[in-house]
Amino acid sequence: MSCWTLLGLPPTVDTRTIKRHYARLLKQTRPDEDPQGFQQLREAYEQALDQAHWLSSEDDLETPPQTTAADDWPALQQQPQQSPAQRVAPLLEGIRIDQLDQRHQQAIDTDCLLEFELGLLRHCVERPKQSVQLLAWAFATFHWLSAWQRLELPDYLLEALLQGCRQALEQPLFEALQQQDGAAFVQHYAQRSQHVWLNSLDQRQWFNQRLVVLLLDSPYWLTEVFEAVCACQGWQAGDDNACPALEWERLLARHEAPQFIARQQALAAEPLATAEQRAAYLLLAPISFSRRRAFARRLRSDDWASCRQLSSRLHANHPEVSAGMPGGTAFFWRDWEFAFDAWPMYLGIIIASLVGAFARYAPQASSLEEIIGVALFWSACFAAFAALLWWLWQPLAHRLWARDQQLSSRLPHWLDRQCDVLILQDLLPAVLLGAVLGYFCGAVSGATYLLVLLGISIGRRRELKVRAPWEQADPWQRRLLIGLGCMVLVAALSAIKLASNYGTVTANQGLQQWSERLCARMPIDASECAVPATVEQWYGKEDGR
């Protein structure tokens, strides 16, 4: 079947007739209803245009030039030919909505319809606020942004028009969500039928996706907005859901946010027997930032996994709750997961061992090096014992957290307020290790260990500075502390060296003994060493001297 048969036109028609007839056929063959027929019609249209252009060029070559009589030349000079752009300029000047039909017909009569449409398109793109009514008329007349629009229109102007139309549709919806005005959103959403360019399948899909993004990115959730959009967009549970699956789950999670937050707050108020309850307590319990940090020191790997899961859900689906957390983020605890929280135990062991060594060996006139050596040896032994105790006891105490809370509630109120201790996790291991230190190193050593832990616990109760975990602290503070620590260490080593040099000399220290002589090893009543003994007898001459 030839292109002319498919179009229903004779092969002798011009390009203008082909385009008009093609526009009428497009109204009968829509691409969304009959895509195969539309494709055949499109191919026939392009072939007919090519043949018409080819026949037109041949006619121009075969037609002999016509001569003009000399008498007619002045008349031709008086009637100069105008280009289509020149003919359409008066039609576009000061154009109004009530003049569009008349000027449109004038453009058709003067054979400058393409230039008229192009000028009107450029006017609407450059002056969008003054062209609302003109644009509505042009959409109905020229079918812009549809499958029936003119092919000769520049792509950059059509793209600019599409972006402007999308922004005009989306901006009121975005502002209504920012102002938490659900009624305004529903009102603007109901006016979407006035945007005839949305009749295209591609544009409807774009609008559906933009609605999903607007609702998910909004910090405020409006139930009436979600229900209205679901009813009109076909968002529903099931296989025929028009909303993408992943986005639909997130939308449902935000829709059920009040119930979810209420459940998590209820978990935070219950005894902390499970990892989910401990994660809810760390993130949602109404406690201070310092108390959160103290609580986080007791968490283990399963607790941190629950914290990551809960924080991710709060960050994605409940931005208003995350904004009210420390640092304005649900991941304020991120640096705490890998922090070394057992250092007070090892610091207390070192100080207690040093105090115990001084208390035991200083009265015996032992040197400073000996006392420090003993303290280091004790510290290594007790640190190994403490690490083993921590590795064996903490998992058991962690599983008994709920029981531990019940027992710890009987402690004096001032102790819980100042130190925030639990009997099984904190108090019992500390007392056991202090008793071991007191048994082997003396009572003063055990008491020192407990006092160090008590002082660190009280010091930790100070209010910490709230900041996001990814904010960098001032580097000069850390460098200053490192420098001071190095200076203190150098000063301490120098003091130990000086003290050892000027210490009391014991019986086995000092100068070496004199060489043993003959009479020094003989009995006092030996005849050869009787008084007066000669010098040679006591101090014989050295060999070779």
Side-chain angles (χ1 to χ4, degrees):
M1 182 181 295
S2 67
C3 61
W4 303 107
T5 304
L6 185 59
L7 292 174
L9 292 173
T12 57
V13 296
D14 58 359
T15 57
R16 182 178 178 184
T17 305
I18 295 173
K19 293 177 181 178
R20 289 185 177 180
H21 190 69
Y22 174 69
R24 288 194 296 269
L25 291 177
L26 283 179
K27 297 180 180 180
Q28 304 173 5
T29 306
R30 296 180 175 273
D32 50 351
E33 297 177 355
D34 186 6
Q36 184 176 1
F38 174 77
Q39 182 66 23
Q40 294 177 355
L41 180 62
R42 178 69 182 179
E43 293 176 355
Y45 168 70
E46 293 177 352
Q47 293 177 9
L49 282 180
D50 292 340
Q51 294 185 21
H53 283 299
W54 179 73
L55 292 174
S56 176
S57 61
E58 279 194 345
D59 292 341
D60 293 340
L61 293 175
E62 295 176 358
T63 302
Q66 299 179 357
T67 59
T68 303
D71 295 338
D72 297 335
W73 182 252
L76 293 176
Q77 287 184 332
Q78 294 176 3
Q79 297 178 0
Q81 292 292 330
Q82 290 183 336
S83 65
Q86 293 174 336
R87 294 195 300 270
V88 82
L91 301 179
L92 294 173
E93 185 177 356
I95 192 170
R96 299 191 307 270
I97 183 63
D98 55 348
Q99 301 173 342
L100 277 174
D101 292 329
Q102 178 185 359
R103 297 196 177 185
H104 177 244
Q105 186 61 42
Q106 293 176 0
I108 296 175
D109 296 339
T110 56
D111 197 19
C112 59
L113 182 59
L114 174 60
E115 288 72 15
F116 179 80
E117 183 178 353
L118 183 59
L120 188 62
L121 175 59
R122 185 175 288 107
H123 177 84
C124 294
V125 169
E126 295 175 353
R127 302 173 181 85
K129 295 183 179 179
Q130 295 83 11
S131 306
V132 178
Q133 294 179 337
L134 300 180
L135 192 59
W137 180 90
F139 276 129
T141 305
F142 299 124
H143 306 288
W144 288 344
L145 304 181
S146 70
W148 300 276
Q149 68 182 2
R150 187 185 291 270
L151 300 177
E152 293 86 348
L153 297 178
D155 292 338
Y156 74 94
L157 285 178
L158 294 174
E159 184 66 25
L161 176 64
L162 178 60
Q163 294 301 326
C165 292
R166 287 179 173 180
Q167 185 177 4
L169 174 62
E170 184 179 357
Q171 188 65 27
L173 301 177
F174 175 78
E175 293 176 354
L177 288 178
Q178 293 297 316
Q179 298 171 4
Q180 304 185 55
D181 192 347
F185 184 97
V186 174
Q187 180 181 359
H188 289 296
Y189 175 69
Q191 297 174 357
R192 69 191 184 282
S193 59
Q194 301 177 4
H195 299 268
V196 294
W197 56 274
L198 277 179
N199 295 333
S200 171
L201 178 60
D202 293 340
Q203 302 308 323
R204 290 199 301 268
Q205 291 177 350
W206 167 85
F207 184 58
N208 187 74
Q209 186 63 33
R210 287 307 302 169
L211 286 174
V212 173
V213 174
L214 283 175
L215 294 181
L216 289 179
D217 291 348
S218 174
Y220 311 106
W221 184 261
L222 303 175
T223 304
E224 64 275 17
V225 168
F226 177 71
E227 293 176 350
V229 173
C230 287
C232 297
Q233 293 296 127
W235 294 355
Q236 57 187 355
D239 298 334
D240 55 346
N241 189 4
C243 183
L246 295 178
E247 286 78 359
W248 176 247
E249 293 180 1
R250 292 183 58 190
L251 288 172
L252 284 181
R254 293 202 66 180
H255 183 59
E256 299 171 355
Q259 297 84 353
F260 176 78
I261 296 299
R263 288 196 301 269
Q264 295 300 318
Q265 291 175 346
L267 287 177
E270 297 175 357
L272 307 179
T274 64
E276 290 76 13
Q277 292 172 332
R278 290 188 284 270
Y281 182 82
L282 177 65
L283 296 176
L284 298 174
I287 54 179
S288 65
F289 186 69
S290 298
R291 198 171 185 89
R292 293 180 198 272
R293 181 65 184 96
F295 178 79
R297 296 187 182 101
R298 302 189 179 99
L299 299 184
R300 300 180 66 83
S301 58
D302 56 340
D303 302 322
W304 291 121
S306 298
C307 286
R308 284 192 294 272
Q309 183 178 2
L310 179 57
S311 297
S312 300
R313 187 164 184 178
L314 293 175
H315 178 76
N317 302 324
H318 312 278
E320 68 283 356
V321 177
S322 298
M325 291 185 174
T329 173
F331 294 96
F332 63 89
W333 50 267
R334 192 169 64 176
D335 288 345
W336 300 347
E337 181 178 0
F338 303 103
F340 180 66
D341 294 323
W343 65 268
M345 178 180 66
Y346 296 106
L347 179 62
I349 289 175
I350 294 174
I351 296 177
S353 299
L354 188 61
V355 171
F358 268 101
R360 174 172 294 188
Y361 295 104
Q364 300 178 12
S366 299
S367 65
L368 187 61
E369 291 92 335
E370 294 175 338
I371 295 176
I372 294 177
V374 171
L376 293 177
F377 176 76
W378 286 355
S379 299
C381 295
F382 289 116
F385 173 75
L388 180 62
L389 179 64
W390 179 278
W391 180 69
L392 294 175
W393 179 251
Q394 286 301 317
L396 177 60
H398 193 75
R399 287 193 292 268
L400 301 176
W401 197 315
R403 182 60 178 171
D404 197 4
Q405 279 188 309
Q406 296 177 359
L407 295 175
S408 302
S409 61
R410 303 176 184 178
L411 292 174
H413 181 65
W414 66 269
L415 183 63
D416 179 67
R417 186 178 67 254
Q418 294 296 330
C419 302
D420 191 19
V421 297
L422 294 177
I423 292 180
L424 298 181
Q425 293 195 40
D426 304 322
L427 194 58
L428 187 59
V431 172
L432 177 60
L433 193 54
V436 173
L437 283 168
Y439 178 79
F440 287 97
C441 305
V444 65
S445 179
T448 301
Y449 176 76
L450 296 177
L451 289 176
V452 169
L453 294 185
L454 180 62
I456 293 175
S457 299
I458 295 175
R460 279 178 164 178
R461 294 296 297 167
R462 77 184 192 281
E463 193 63 31
L464 300 176
K465 179 181 178 182
V466 180
R467 65 180 181 88
W470 46 82
E471 292 179 356
Q472 295 294 332
D474 294 334
W476 67 269
Q477 296 180 355
R478 178 175 297 181
R479 294 172 183 173
L480 180 61
L481 292 176
I482 293 175
L484 290 176
C486 294
M487 294 174 60
V488 170
L489 180 60
V490 172
L493 293 177
S494 301
I496 293 174
K497 182 64 177 176
L498 291 174
S500 62
N501 291 338
Y502 292 95
T504 303
V505 177
T506 62
N508 296 325
Q509 292 179 332
L511 298 176
Q512 296 294 326
Q513 299 178 355
W514 290 95
S515 303
E516 187 179 19
R517 301 304 177 186
L518 177 62
C519 291
R521 67 168 182 246
M522 296 182 65
I524 193 171
D525 56 350
S527 58
E528 56 269 24
C529 293
V531 180
T534 63
V535 175
E536 289 78 6
Q537 290 176 329
W538 279 99
Y539 306 104
K541 292 186 179 296
E542 297 289 342
D543 296 338
R545 293 186 181 179

